[in-house]
Amino acid sequence: MAAETVLIADDEREIADLLEVYLRNENYTVRKFYNPPDALACMEKEPVSLAILDVMMPEIDGFTLCQKIRQKHLFPIIMLTAKTGDMDKIQGLTLGADDYIAKPFNPLEVVARVKTQLRRYKQYNTNSAVQATEVTEYDAKGLYICPPSHKCTLNGEVLPLTPFEFNILWYLCKNHGRVVSAEELFETLWGEKFFESSNNTVMAHIARIRETMNELPRKPKYIKTIWGVGYTIE
């Protein structure tokens, strides 16, 4: 089986070099770049399984790089940053990042996050979860989603969702008519214990899905927010 490829884009050479060592020790193929343009060029030439992006980089910052990647690729993205503010984290998640790690960090934690994201990515691209339930598609008000074919369209147009966004939308659709709490979404889909800050992560992903669906922020047609309770698709 071919080794999974992790791309690192970080202008702090010591950090990039350190991550490369730890990831290679876990048998990942590593493509390391100190500037975003070279990282983007690599993605055009060879497949990447996951990207680790520093937020503060010259020429192209990590947020912009994340946005450019999401225009063509669905693989997981982990953001690295010296900033710890919630707004910075929400910005990264809204642009399509899957995880966010503040500097300084333990490189073993980064390796663990890489493994988690790759495991989830594989899980969301298999039919195993679908086979456990009788509901295999949702089709209402112009929205169609079907996990077996991994197809999601809105009024006949394909929705460019990441695998994780697809899974969030599917979870809400298969539970349509029921309000799903942020805690339930987080603990079911992220597989981690819910904390107060976890709500921002859920909100950021919901916001990105709504943006992809061209939903009006104050009058969403599909994903409704029930304040203080959770989210629902009626």
Side-chain angles (χ1 to χ4, degrees):
M1 182 178 177
E4 292 170 304
T5 299
V6 177
L7 181 143
I8 301 171
D10 194 326
D11 63 316
E12 293 188 64
R13 292 173 178 260
E14 290 184 0
I15 290 179
D17 294 347
L18 180 64
L19 288 176
E20 180 184 27
V21 170
Y22 275 81
L23 289 166
R24 287 191 185 280
N25 284 342
E26 295 293 326
N27 298 317
Y28 291 108
T29 297
V30 177
R31 297 289 180 261
K32 178 183 61 179
F33 301 95
Y34 303 124
N35 65 79
D38 288 346
L40 283 172
C42 173
M43 292 176 217
E44 296 300 319
K45 298 176 182 177
E46 61 179 288
V48 171
S49 306
L50 178 145
I52 300 174
L53 313 177
D54 180 38
V55 169
M56 303 299 290
M57 290 187 288
E59 296 186 67
I60 304 175
D61 63 53
F63 293 138
T64 303
L65 180 56
C66 175
Q67 198 169 23
K68 287 180 177 292
I69 292 172
R70 279 291 172 254
Q71 291 172 0
K72 295 184 178 181
H73 305 285
L74 298 176
F75 54 73
I77 297 174
I78 298 176
M79 307 292 291
L80 301 178
T81 182
K83 298 181 178 181
T84 57
D86 280 345
M87 290 309 298
D88 296 305
K89 181 176 181 180
I90 290 171
Q91 181 180 357
L93 294 173
T94 301
L95 292 173
D98 297 279
D99 204 353
Y100 201 96
I101 302 176
K103 297 178 180 179
F105 53 75
N106 184 330
L108 290 175
E109 178 189 358
V110 178
V111 172
R113 300 282 189 96
V114 166
K115 290 180 178 179
T116 297
Q117 289 299 329
L118 287 172
R119 183 172 64 249
R120 289 173 182 164
Y121 184 69
K122 292 176 186 175
Q123 175 186 342
Y124 301 148
N125 281 279
T126 64
N127 296 335
S128 58
V130 177
Q131 294 169 354
T133 176
E134 294 180 359
V135 181
T136 58
E137 65 178 12
Y138 173 89
D139 190 358
K141 296 192 293 185
L143 175 62
Y144 175 78
I145 183 168
C146 177
S149 62
H150 201 79
K151 182 179 180 181
C152 184
T153 60
L154 184 60
N155 298 321
E157 297 291 329
V158 175
L159 282 179
L161 301 170
T162 68
F164 200 69
E165 291 164 358
F166 183 98
N167 205 60
I168 293 171
L169 183 57
W170 169 244
Y171 192 84
L172 291 173
C173 285
K174 76 174 183 178
N175 287 285
H176 66 91
R178 180 172 75 83
V179 179
V180 178
S181 68
E183 181 176 359
E184 178 183 343
L185 269 174
F186 189 84
E187 295 192 347
T188 300
L189 303 181
W190 275 262
E192 300 174 9
K193 184 174 177 55
F194 183 87
F195 295 99
E196 185 176 346
S197 60
S198 306
N199 190 50
N200 289 333
T201 300
V202 175
M203 287 175 60
H205 279 81
I206 294 293
R208 178 170 168 79
I209 294 170
R210 283 173 169 162
E211 181 181 1
T212 302
M213 298 173 74
N214 293 316
E215 288 263 63
L216 295 175
R218 296 185 180 277
K219 293 183 178 181
K221 179 180 178 182
Y222 298 96
I223 304 176
K224 306 288 183 65
T225 299
I226 309 300
W227 295 109
V229 184
Y231 304 94
T232 185
I233 289 183
E234 297 173 345

